[in-house]
Amino acid sequence: MVQANLRSMENDHLFIAGVFILAGFVKGAVGLGLPTIAMGLLALVLPPAQAAALLVVPSLLTNVAQMAGGGPLLPVTRRLRALLAGIVAGTTAGVLVLPTALGPGAVILLGAALVIGAVLNLLRVRLPNPEGWSPWSGLVCGTATGLVTVATGVFVIPAVPYIRALDLSRDQTIQALGLSFTVSSLSLALALLAQGVFKQDLAWGSLLALIPTLVGMGLGIRWRQRLAGDRFRMMFDISLLLLGLAQMLAAVSR
């Protein structure tokens, strides 16, 4: 009986490590998807709260690594400064005025928005560069992203479609996503800390989960570097499509 329990625990540990390798690979290859993939698969063996706790360190540190690993950061930061300022403002306002969750319906709508945007890109329906819309477009998109982050826990809408429409290079796109996600996660943590909501200590398991995540991320980065610009954009849009579908399915199954 004891041996069977030990064997089951070992299998769970191997499965969890494999999940973080896979999620890290996708993160390294296309710059996003770590929380969605990891949460979806970890739910098979762990309660949601425990799975979320394991994600804290890998999610934050891989975003920082992604932000810092794409060459000079200042040019990308300058192009995204309005978006980033909006993310901080929207997140702070969201913590003050919004409920912590709007339910599965909101997540389904966000997933549908990702799917529609990805399909349009795959069909080569080009969206105009948002920098030409208005000097306020980045601030508006960032503020909306901050509000959506507080309401649903999803960092990607509308920041990711905004970044996708900027026509950045492959590596700049990855770097811009890392920068946006880092600012989103830090803004949310600081806003909740100021409100006295964010009190959970980081678990050792979350720190240990960083190891397989970085292994997978390194493999994903190597794979991404072999892709030409057009192939990368196609894989990126396919990843957005799958991410949107995964969010919708997860929300429906709750």
Side-chain angles (χ1 to χ4, degrees), residues 130-208:
E131 291 175 320
W133 299 348
S134 161
W136 298 99
S137 61
L139 188 62
V140 171
C141 286
T143 302
T145 299
L147 293 171
V148 168
T149 295
V150 174
T152 67
V154 178
F155 295 164
V156 297
I157 291 290
V160 170
Y162 176 91
I163 291 170
R164 175 66 176 80
L166 291 177
D167 289 330
L168 299 171
S169 70
R170 177 192 62 191
D171 292 338
Q172 285 180 323
T173 297
I174 296 294
Q175 188 177 41
L177 291 171
L179 179 58
S180 172
F181 295 156
T182 298
V183 171
S184 289
S185 56
L186 288 177
S187 297
L188 182 60
L190 290 174
L192 293 176
L193 182 63
Q195 291 291 103
V197 177
F198 188 65
K199 298 179 179 179
Q200 186 177 17
D201 294 332
L202 297 179
W204 279 108
S206 184
L207 188 60
L208 291 174

Side-chain angles (χ1 to χ4, degrees), residues 65-138:
Q66 181 176 323
M67 173 187 70
L73 187 60
L74 187 58
V76 174
T77 304
R78 283 175 175 168
R79 291 191 68 176
L80 296 183
R81 61 185 181 275
L83 178 74
L84 301 176
I87 288 173
V88 174
T91 302
T92 303
V95 169
L96 295 175
V97 303
L98 289 179
T100 55
L102 294 181
V107 180
I108 291 173
L109 290 176
L110 293 173
L114 278 180
V115 170
I116 292 170
V119 169
L120 290 175
N121 288 330
L122 288 168
L123 294 176
R124 300 186 181 274
V125 178
R126 292 185 61 82
L127 299 176
N129 190 319
E131 291 175 320
W133 299 348
S134 161
W136 298 99
S137 61

Side-chain angles (χ1 to χ4, degrees), residues 12-90:
D12 285 350
H13 290 158
L14 289 174
F15 177 78
I16 292 169
V19 167
F20 278 103
I21 290 173
L22 173 62
F25 177 86
V26 175
K27 175 74 169 175
V30 296
L32 74 171
L34 173 64
T36 301
I37 293 171
M39 284 295 292
L41 293 175
L42 290 176
L44 299 174
V45 296
L46 295 174
Q50 190 174 350
L54 284 179
L55 269 167
V56 171
V57 174
S59 181
L60 178 60
L61 293 189
T62 54
N63 283 331
V64 172
Q66 181 176 323
M67 173 187 70
L73 187 60
L74 187 58
V76 174
T77 304
R78 283 175 175 168
R79 291 191 68 176
L80 296 183
R81 61 185 181 275
L83 178 74
L84 301 176
I87 288 173
V88 174

